Amino acid sequence: MSENTFTVTFQPSGVVAQARAGEILSDVALAAGVPISLPCGGQGRCGRCKVVITRGEAERKTTVRLTATELEQGYALACQTRVQGDLEVFVPPIEEVIVRRLPTERGAERAYELPAACDWAAKPTLRKVHLQIEPPSLLDNTTDFERVSRELARQYDIRNLTVALPTLRRLARALRDADWDVTLTLEMSTWTSPDGPPRLLDVAPGDQTQTLYGIAVDIGTTSNVVYLVDMVAGRVVDTASAYNLQISCGEDVISRIIYAKKPGGLEHLQRLVVQTINGLIEELCARNNIAGTEIHKMTVAGNTTMTHLFLGLDPEAIRLEPYIPTITHPSPVRAHELGIHINPDATVDCLPGVGAYVGGDITAGVLSSKLYTTDKLSLFIDVGTNGEIVLGNADWLISCACSAGPAFEGAGVQSGMRATVGAIEEVWISAKTYEPTYRTIGDAPPEGICGSGMISLLAEMFISGVMDKAGKLNRTLNTPRIRMGEHGPEYVVAWASETRGKKNDIVITEVDIANLIRAKAAIYAGFSVLTRSVGIELADVEQVLIGGAFGKYIDVEKAIQIGLLPDMPWDRFHYLGNTSALGAYAALLCADMRQAVVEIANKMTYLELSADNTFMDQFTSALFLPHTDTASFPSVMRLLQSVGRRSQETQ
Amino acid sequence: MPVTVETPLEKWTGKVREVTLGATRDQKGTRSKTVTVGGETTLPFLHFEGSIPHPPVIAIEIQDSYPSDWSPVLLNAWGDTLKDPAEWAKKAEALGADLIMLRLRGVNGDGSETTGAQAAAVTKAVLQATGLPLIVRGPGQAEKDNELLVAVAEAAAGERLALGLCEDKNYRTIVAAALAHGHLVINSTPIDVNLAKQLNILVSDMQMEPDRILMDPTTGALGYGLEYTYSVMERLRIAALTGDSMTQMPMICFTGEESWRQKESKVGEGVPAAWGDWTRRGILWEAVTAVALLEAGADIVTLRHPDSVPIVRKAIEQLMAH
C-alpha cells in the first residue's frame, strides 16, 4: 500500500474504504456508500455529521458545535475531518426521520380542486382510443404504422401521428399479439407543441380505455409528494409523500448546491431524488394494483434548484451573483432519460419557473390558487425552506423570494426538529408565573420543537413578557426557566424529566430566537418590499393565500403576533394545502392549464431582493416583535395592552 | 415681469419632545438651573417653517480620573485640572458649558477597578462643584455600567441626571435605576433608524416616559463617516416630524470623543506639513464635526477642548438668529 493511502473502517457497518492522506472523511464515506447526514452540505456549520473516531489519527479542521465532553469522547465532524492515518470510525445512527415515510393523506376527505377554467375533458393531454383494425393482406399491404395512422384518422379524426423508436420497435408484435384489436395511448400535446401532432406512447391489447394514469409530482426541498391521477375520470386516485432523500446532503437549496460541487455530488443528488420519487411511485402502484408502465405522463413542480438537480443540471450559477439558472422552462424529456420508473417513453414535464429563486412550484401555486383569475388583490405565499411571495391578480403578477432559512423547519435551532411524533407543536405561557404548557404531535413525550411550535413559543414568550420585543430574555424575572446556558441565555420549555430521552432539557436560546426572528423578518420584509414596489399598502391586500406544506400548520393568530404575517382580519387568510402539487395536477390533466402556467410564468415579474436597496431597511425594521412600525400591528398592540393591564392588576 | 416666489413650506404633523435635564431645589434637586432641549417642529434651523423653541446646547466632557489616553493637545489645554473632576467641572462651567458630561472610566488612576461607592462619590463631588445639570456615562461595558450607574442613580436621586448608555443588549438595569431615582436615560444604537426606534420602544415598554429619553444615533467624526451619520439623523428627524412618536426623542452626539479619536487630532508628528498646526487642527476638527451634527439635528453636542466651545457657541447663535 502506498504510504499516502490509509484504510478507514466504518462501524457498525464494517465497511472498509481507502482514503488518500488529507481526504475529507465525509467524502470517503460518500464514496464508500456509508450514509452520513450532511444537512448543511458539508460546510461545517450544522454539527449534524458527528462521528466518533475510535482509533487512528485525524485532523479536525473545526470543532464547532461539539461540546468539550464530546471532543474528549473522540467525536468529530465528518465534513471537517481530514484522514491522517488508518482510522476506525463509528457512525451513529442517522436521524430516523430521514428514511421515514411521511404519513399519507390517503382516506382523508380532501378535495383536489381544479381551477374552474380546467376543461380537461375538452383538452386532454393524454388520450386512449380503442381501435379494431383490418389485418393486412396481399391486397392491402400498407405498413403497420400507416395502417394504425389511417384507422386513427378514419375513426377518431386524429391525424399526423408520430412515434418514438422504443414504441415503434414494439409495434409489430403488439398489433399481432392483440389480433389487431388494440388500445392506443396517445399524447395529444405538450407545451412545446400545444396543437400536436399526437405521439403514440403505448399499444395494449383489447379495450383498455377505462384506465389511463398520470402522476403529478411536487419536488420540495424537504418533502416530495406524488399524486396518482386517473386521467379518464380526471381525479386524484391516491397520494404518497416522503422526505426528499437529498436531505442527507443538505437541508436547504444552498447547501445542496454546495454539495453538488463535490466530485460525483450532482449525480448523487440526481439519483437520490429519482430514488425518492420511484419509491413513491412503487408504493402507489402496489396499493392501486397497477404497473409503473401504465403511467403515461409525469408533471413536475419544483423550485428552480430542485428542478436543476432532478434533471442533473449544474446548479452552481443559481447560488452566485447574478443568480442565473441554466433554464427556467425545460423542454419535455422522456422518463427513461431520467430513470423514472413509469412508461419509459412517457413525457416528464417540468413546470416553468421565473427566476433563480421563483420556480415551477410557485407558478403551479399561482395556477392552483386561482390567483391568476381573481379580481381581488391577492398575496400568495409559500413558506418552506425558502419563502416565496407573489402579489397580484388576474391582470398582473410580481414575485420575490426571501431566504428565510430552515429555522421554521426545525434546523439551525438547538432543540429544533421536524414535525414528527414528539415535536412540541403548540405552547402556552402564563404571563404571571412564566410557566409553559405545551402539546406535542401524537401526545408523545417531547423530543424537540417543530416549526409551528417555534412560532407558537415565540409568540407566547413575547406576549407573556418572558422576552422583550427585540427577542432578549428578561433575566430579571423570577423564574428558574430563564437561565444562562452553554450558548448564552435560554428559556427551558421542558425539563429533562418530561422528555422522551430524560437526558436534556428542551430549551430555546437567545441565539435560536435571533435566528427565528431573522427568518420571520426576511419573509415580512419580502411582503413590504413587494407591496411598496408596486405602490400599494399591505393593508390593501384583500386575500392572503397560503400554500406550501408548512402553511397547513401555521396558526395565523400566532404568526401575526410575531409579525410573520401581516395584521389583518383572519378571514382574509386561506390555506390551500399543497398548491404546488395541485398545480402540477391541473397541468398534467389539461393542455389549457399547461398553457396557463406558461402565461403565468411569462406574465410574472421577478423582483430580485438582493438588488433592491430598500430590502435591508425593511428587514431591520422587521427584526423586532411584532415590528418596529407598531402601527401596522394594531391587534397585537391591543393584546399587549390588555395583557399588561391584567398582569398589573394581579401584582 | 416680476415673479412672486412663495417659499414652499412643509406641513409637519409631529414635534420633537421637550426633555428637561437637571432639577432645581424646588424640584427636589440641587441644580442652579435646568436645561430643556427639543421641541422643534421643523428641520434644523428652518425658522421660516416651524419653531425651534430651545437652542441646541453644549456639554463639556469631564472624566472621573486622569485621561492619560487623551490627545496631548487636550492634556496641555486643561493641564492639572484633569486630575480633579470637581475642579474640571467648575472650569467647564466657567467656559460657558450648558451641561457637564461625567464619563466614568471604570478604572481608577492607580489601575484598580472603580467601585460603585467611588462612582457615587465623584458624582456628588461634581454636583457640588457645579450648578449645571449632569450627564453621567459608564465605561461602556455592560456589567460595569450597571454596577456604577445604579450607585450613581441612587446617590444623586432626584437630580434628573441623564444616565447612559442604554443599548439593546443592556438597558433594563439602567432604566430601572433611572425610574427609581428620577433620572433620564440615553439610548444608544448603531447608526440605524429602525434600531434607534426599537430601543426607544423597549425602554418605553419599561414604563419610562418618552420625555425622559435622549437618543444617541452613534456619530462619526469629520472624515470618518460623517455623511452617513448625517443622513441617518436626518431620517430620524423626518420620522419624528411626520408623527412617529418613538423617534421624537432629542438627539445627543458625543462629538468630542469621536473627533479626538482620529489621527488628525491625536497625532502631531509624522503627518504631512500641509495639515497645518496640530492644536488648531484638532480644535477645528472637533468644532466642524459638532456644527455639522447640529445641522443634522443634534440637540446636545459634547465637546472636549476648551477652545472649541466658543466656536461652536458662536455657530449656534448665528444659526438661531432669524
Side-chain angles (χ1 to χ4, degrees):
Chain A
M1 193 178 301
S2 118
E3 89 188 53
N4 284 329
T5 311
F6 302 111
T7 305
V8 180
T9 312
F10 292 99
Q11 299 296 3
S13 60
V15 172
V16 178
Q18 300 303 316
R20 291 186 315 279
E23 199 170 348
I24 297 291
L25 190 54
S26 58
D27 290 346
V28 178
L30 173 65
V34 176
I36 285 183
S37 181
L38 296 178
C40 72
Q43 301 174 77
R45 290 189 311 160
C46 72
R48 298 259 196 99
C49 60
K50 272 190 263 190
V51 295
V52 190
I53 312 274
T54 45
R55 192 165 46 78
E57 244 181 86
E59 177 206 346
R60 291 169 174 80
K61 286 202 294 177
T62 66
T63 54
V64 283
R65 290 184 184 263
L66 290 178
T67 63
T69 332
E70 283 175 329
L71 282 173
E72 247 169 60
Q73 291 167 351
Y75 272 92
L77 300 178
C79 75
Q80 296 295 314
T81 301
R82 291 186 198 281
V83 178
Q84 304 284 29
D86 292 344
L87 291 183
E88 186 178 62
V89 179
F90 176 76
V91 183
I94 295 191
E95 251 182 298
E96 181 192 0
V97 85
I98 289 171
V99 287
R100 239 183 65 129
R101 283 282 151 83
L102 289 169
T104 63
E105 292 159 3
R106 198 181 185 214
E109 290 291 318
R110 282 213 49 151
Y112 297 98
E113 205 187 329
L114 289 166
C118 181
D119 188 359
W120 56 271
K123 279 301 258 322
T125 53
L126 288 186
R127 236 184 117 175
K128 265 188 176 175
V129 293
H130 180 219
L131 277 187
Q132 282 167 321
I133 308 168
E134 191 67 29
S137 65
L138 286 171
L139 294 176
D140 178 6
N141 58 2
T142 309
T143 65
D144 291 345
F145 184 71
E146 282 302 316
R147 186 172 302 272
V148 169
S149 301
R150 191 177 65 193
E151 284 307 307
L152 201 54
R154 205 170 58 82
Q155 293 182 35
Y156 295 94
D157 196 27
I158 295 172
R159 291 165 201 282
N160 305 321
L161 186 69
T162 61
V163 63
L165 191 56
T167 312
L168 193 57
R169 282 175 176 156
R170 293 196 305 271
L171 186 65
R173 178 89 346 247
L175 289 170
R176 285 167 182 83
D177 283 353
D179 261 342
W180 301 91
D181 179 354
V182 290
T183 297
L184 306 183
T185 305
L186 304 171
E187 180 168 56
M188 302 306 291
S189 68
T190 63
W191 76 270
T192 45
S193 48
D195 301 314
R199 187 167 67 96
L200 180 62
L201 287 179
D202 213 348
V203 183
D207 183 353
Q208 294 195 26
T209 51
Q210 293 316 300
T211 58
L212 177 58
Y213 294 102
I215 50 174
V217 181
D218 165 38
I219 304 183
T221 310
T222 303
S223 47
N224 294 354
V225 180
V226 178
Y227 287 4
L228 177 65
V229 179
D230 176 341
M231 308 282 285
V232 178
R235 58 186 189 87
V236 176
V237 181
D238 197 357
T239 71
S241 59
Y243 286 113
N244 188 334
L245 287 170
Q246 292 176 343
I247 289 173
S248 61
C249 307
E251 286 192 340
D252 53 45
V253 295
I254 299 300
S255 307
R256 304 252 175 106
I257 295 173
I258 291 168
Y259 188 93
K261 270 183 82 175
K262 289 174 176 288
L266 176 58
E267 293 74 13
H268 185 59
L269 288 169
Q270 203 265 343
R271 270 198 308 276
L272 286 176
V273 66
V274 168
Q275 197 183 329
T276 313
I277 294 167
N278 280 339
L280 293 171
I281 292 170
E282 208 174 292
E283 180 185 331
L284 288 169
C285 285
R287 212 153 55 204
N288 295 278
N289 205 18
I290 62 171
T293 49
E294 287 181 69
I295 297 168
H296 284 101
K297 190 175 172 71
M298 168 168 167
T299 303
V300 177
N303 66 49
T304 306
T305 302
M306 287 305 111
T307 305
H308 274 61
L309 296 178
F310 175 60
L311 296 175
L313 307 176
D314 181 359
E316 177 71 358
I318 293 176
R319 183 171 72 98
L320 306 171
E321 205 180 297
Y323 320 113
I324 307 300
T326 302
I327 193 168
T328 48
H329 202 173
S331 299
V333 292
R334 305 274 176 264
H336 70 83
E337 296 178 83
L338 294 168
I340 294 289
H341 294 163
I342 57 175
N343 187 294
D345 211 22
T347 289
V348 175
D349 178 24
C350 297
L351 296 183
V354 180
Y357 295 100
V358 172
D361 51 343
I362 301 307
T363 53
V366 170
L367 178 78
S368 65
S369 67
K370 307 186 198 73
L371 169 56
Y372 78 114
T373 55
T374 182
D375 293 332
K376 289 185 180 173
L377 178 60
S378 309
L379 192 63
F380 169 80
I381 59 169
D382 183 333
V383 179
T385 315
N386 248 14
E388 290 103 344
I389 308 168
V390 183
L391 179 71
N393 57 25
D395 299 324
W396 54 274
L397 296 165
I398 183 165
S399 63
C400 71
C402 14
S403 161
F408 285 129
E409 304 213 36
V413 175
Q414 192 174 319
S415 299
M417 67 183 282
R418 295 201 192 88
T420 52
V421 173
I424 294 176
E425 61 171 345
E426 206 168 358
V427 183
W428 301 267
I429 297 177
S430 159
K432 284 185 220 161
T433 63
Y434 310 110
E435 284 294 301
T437 43
Y438 53 80
R439 193 163 54 77
T440 61
I441 296 177
D443 289 322
E447 286 181 63
I449 312 166
C450 67
S452 53
M454 301 281 178
I455 292 176
S456 179
L457 176 60
L458 220 55
E460 286 290 308
M461 288 169 68
F462 156 53
I463 300 293
S464 66
V466 164
M467 67 181 179
D468 67 16
K469 289 173 179 161
K472 298 283 180 297
L473 293 169
N474 185 351
R475 291 167 63 199
T476 63
L477 296 181
N478 181 25
T479 165
R481 289 190 180 261
I482 299 174
R483 65 184 188 194
M484 275 308 278
E486 203 175 335
H487 303 285
E490 61 189 24
Y491 176 79
V492 182
V493 185
W495 301 110
S497 58
E498 305 163 32
T499 65
R500 193 178 82 149
K502 309 236 177 266
K503 262 166 66 185
N504 299 312
D505 296 336
I506 295 175
V507 300
I508 183 154
T509 67
E510 273 188 3
V511 178
D512 296 336
I513 296 169
N515 277 337
L516 289 162
I517 293 181
R518 271 197 292 276
K520 77 96 186 172
I523 292 168
Y524 193 86
F527 296 153
S528 307
V529 173
L530 211 51
T531 47
R532 276 161 188 252
S533 73
V534 291
I536 61 163
E537 296 287 325
L538 203 42
D540 297 336
V541 170
E542 292 166 272
Q543 56 172 358
V544 180
L545 309 169
I546 304 174
F550 181 55
K552 269 188 289 188
Y553 309 105
I554 293 185
D555 177 338
V556 167
E557 183 184 359
K558 300 290 179 197
I560 291 173
Q561 284 172 7
I562 64 165
L564 168 63
L565 292 176
D567 193 356
M568 47 178 71
W570 298 345
D571 59 12
R572 285 195 213 168
F573 294 90
H574 304 282
Y575 296 117
L576 304 176
N578 191 334
T579 48
S580 171
L582 287 169
Y585 160 47
L588 168 74
L589 208 51
C590 174
D592 285 347
M593 289 292 98
R594 185 61 182 81
Q595 286 309 308
V597 187
V598 178
E599 280 156 34
I600 289 166
N602 288 342
K603 191 153 68 170
M604 202 186 296
T605 307
Y606 176 46
L607 186 71
E608 174 59 59
L609 290 182
S610 63
D612 187 292
N613 54 16
T614 61
F615 180 75
M616 259 334 273
D617 193 43
Q618 290 301 322
F619 178 63
T620 319
S621 190
L623 281 177
F624 204 59
L625 297 169
H627 195 273
T628 310
D629 179 15
T630 48
S632 308
F633 287 84
S635 85
V636 184
M637 290 302 117
R638 281 195 301 275
L639 175 68
L640 282 174
Q641 270 169 9
S642 73
V643 171
R645 259 200 313 277
R646 274 206 305 275
S647 70
Q648 270 175 358
E649 280 160 16
T650 56
Q651 271 166 9
Chain B
M1 202 175 74
V3 182
T4 27
V5 177
E6 203 175 320
T7 313
L9 297 182
E10 199 74 50
K11 288 190 183 66
W12 301 109
T13 53
K15 177 185 170 187
V16 178
R17 285 175 194 280
E18 292 187 305
V19 171
T20 301
L21 293 93
T24 59
R25 287 200 185 281
D26 305 346
Q27 298 158 331
K28 297 176 185 167
T30 62
R31 304 299 80 209
S32 54
K33 65 165 189 170
T34 63
V35 169
T36 300
V37 292
E40 299 94 325
T41 61
T42 180
L43 288 170
F45 312 114
L46 302 188
H47 302 285
F48 59 88
E49 187 177 89
S51 78
I52 301 164
H54 309 288
V57 299
I58 298 169
I60 291 182
E61 177 177 352
I62 67 171
Q63 304 216 345
D64 62 340
S65 60
Y66 189 80
S68 48
D69 54 340
W70 277 21
S71 166
V73 174
L74 289 168
L75 300 180
N76 290 337
W78 290 99
D80 281 349
T81 316
L82 299 181
K83 291 173 180 161
D84 181 352
E87 275 307 306
W88 193 351
K90 261 188 206 160
K91 199 161 172 194
E93 183 171 2
L95 279 165
D98 300 299
L99 301 164
I100 303 293
M101 179 173 83
L102 170 63
R103 180 78 195 267
L104 304 170
R105 295 174 64 88
V107 180
N108 300 319
D110 60 6
S112 62
E113 272 198 27
T114 311
T115 63
Q118 287 169 326
V122 73
T123 305
K124 281 190 157 171
V126 171
L127 283 168
Q128 266 176 5
T130 170
L132 298 180
L134 196 61
I135 299 163
V136 183
R137 276 182 65 189
Q141 188 250 327
E143 275 170 38
K144 203 72 195 165
D145 277 4
N146 291 346
E147 179 194 344
L148 301 187
L149 292 174
V150 165
V152 167
E154 204 177 291
E159 292 282 10
R160 264 183 104 84
L161 309 180
L163 300 174
L165 302 176
C166 294
E167 296 181 340
D168 64 346
K169 286 182 188 63
N170 185 53
Y171 65 90
R172 288 185 181 278
T173 308
I174 301 171
V175 174
L179 277 171
H181 301 291
H183 302 299
L184 322 179
V185 292
I186 304 169
N187 288 348
S188 177
T189 46
I191 330 191
D192 185 279
V193 177
N194 283 306
L195 296 179
K197 185 176 169 186
Q198 288 168 7
L199 186 55
N200 289 338
I201 295 173
L202 293 173
V203 170
S204 301
D205 278 352
M206 288 187 69
Q207 314 304 322
M208 175 59 86
E209 294 99 328
D211 61 0
R212 283 167 69 185
I213 300 173
L214 296 170
M215 57 180 176
D216 159 33
T218 303
T219 45
L222 176 65
Y224 293 86
L226 185 67
E227 56 290 340
Y228 188 29
T229 305
Y230 190 103
S231 123
V232 168
M233 289 174 69
E234 186 179 50
R235 286 178 57 204
L236 270 169
R237 182 51 49 89
I238 288 171
L241 294 175
T242 40
D244 184 344
S245 69
M246 282 296 133
T247 54
Q248 290 173 339
M249 292 69 182
M251 289 184 275
I252 178 169
C253 298
F254 304 115
T255 322
E257 180 179 339
E258 283 300 327
S259 81
W260 287 101
R261 182 152 69 192
Q262 309 312 338
K263 186 183 180 190
E264 288 82 350
S265 311
K266 220 171 171 175
V267 181
E269 284 167 21
V271 300
W275 284 18
D277 178 68
W278 184 16
T279 303
R280 191 172 147 72
R281 182 170 73 234
I283 294 166
L284 284 177
W285 213 271
E286 178 172 41
V288 171
T289 301
V291 173
L293 293 175
L294 290 171
E295 289 277 13
D299 294 281
I300 303 172
V301 289
T302 67
L303 301 178
R304 281 185 174 175
H305 198 287
D307 293 348
S308 306
V309 178
I311 302 174
V312 177
R313 174 72 64 207
K314 192 173 169 200
I316 291 174
E317 279 165 8
Q318 287 173 347
L319 287 166
M320 287 301 291
H322 59 285

